Amino acid sequence: KPTIEGAGVKLRRAFGFGNTAEFDPFLLLDDFRNENPDDYLAGFPWHPHRGIETITYVLAGTVAHGDSLGNRGSLGEGDVQWMTAGSGILHQEMPQGDAHGRMHGFQLWANLPSSLKMTTPRYQDVSAQDIPDVIDDDGTRVRVICGNFWGKSGPVDRVAADPRYLDVSVPPGQRKRLAVETS
Ligand code: FE2
């Protein structure tokens, strides 16, 4: 996992941004976990997106957000932001961390098929309390953000790539295997 230093923010890129042929419709996955505010407070001031969807999942800290549709808000622990850039949107994402200086979370970029590249931009915030979780017998906890899993459906829907997005917490000392669809 390379550490990326662009526009004043350090983050880890799990995959993407270059040649995406192997994992399209997913284009990028960034892990912005950081304990040092100097590494992230510069944030991502106003910038454009087009032809993709971005899905941001915050684990700790807050991200202040604004966009050219007039949406304004703050994402906190456990919250999800789903944005369909479509024909084009301007937004800014400013990480603010928590009282301990922590800023943890992920941003996924999903491609739009050619028929939806120029679709009307859409934006949705999902609060942590609206994300269902399921706990298995061994204590494994799964938050279902998008798609179906163990009988629950995630509140983020209509993402064109139709992903299954899960946050899986496995208790210490346990091993867990989860089947992954390859289609
Ligand atoms: Fe962005």
Side-chain angles (χ1 to χ4, degrees):
K1 285 195 205 172
T3 297
I4 313 292
E5 288 187 65
V9 176
K10 286 186 191 168
L11 50 81
R12 281 198 196 80
R13 181 147 295 157
F15 66 80
F17 205 74
N19 182 358
T20 57
E22 289 184 8
F23 37 80
D24 196 338
F26 303 111
L27 302 176
L28 173 153
L29 180 66
D30 279 345
D31 170 4
F32 53 83
R33 172 185 292 257
N34 206 304
E35 315 280 328
N36 179 8
D38 289 342
D39 287 346
Y40 60 76
L41 282 178
F44 303 93
W46 293 98
H47 59 277
H49 290 285
R50 193 181 206 193
I52 64 168
E53 297 182 275
T54 67
I55 299 103
T56 307
Y57 181 36
V58 175
L59 292 168
T62 59
V63 178
H65 165 268
D67 69 34
S68 52
L69 300 178
N71 298 297
R72 295 285 182 279
S74 183
L75 298 173
E77 183 180 330
D79 295 341
V80 175
Q81 178 202 83
W82 157 51
M83 186 181 77
T84 303
S87 60
I89 194 168
L90 276 166
H91 78 160
Q92 65 171 348
E93 305 157 286
M94 304 305 285
Q96 295 176 323
D98 67 9
H100 306 283
R102 300 179 304 174
M103 187 68 246
H104 296 181
F106 297 94
Q107 186 168 86
L108 175 71
W109 290 11
N111 208 356
L112 286 167
S114 55
S115 60
L116 293 174
K117 282 275 181 200
M118 295 299 282
T119 194
T120 304
R122 283 195 312 255
Y123 174 82
Q124 182 176 304
D125 269 335
V126 179
S127 296
Q129 74 253 21
D130 294 328
I131 297 173
D133 64 356
V134 202
I135 299 175
D136 202 6
D137 291 342
D138 64 1
T140 298
R141 176 173 179 256
V142 179
R143 298 184 85 223
V144 185
I145 293 156
C146 186
N148 301 305
F149 191 75
W150 287 349
K152 302 262 182 168
S153 300
V156 177
D157 62 1
R158 297 190 297 155
V159 176
D162 195 22
R164 175 186 284 164
Y165 193 138
L166 310 172
D167 177 359
V168 180
S169 301
V170 179
Q174 297 282 350
R175 288 172 66 96
K176 196 74 180 173
R177 295 174 72 110
L178 299 174
V180 174
E181 287 175 11
T182 55
S183 58

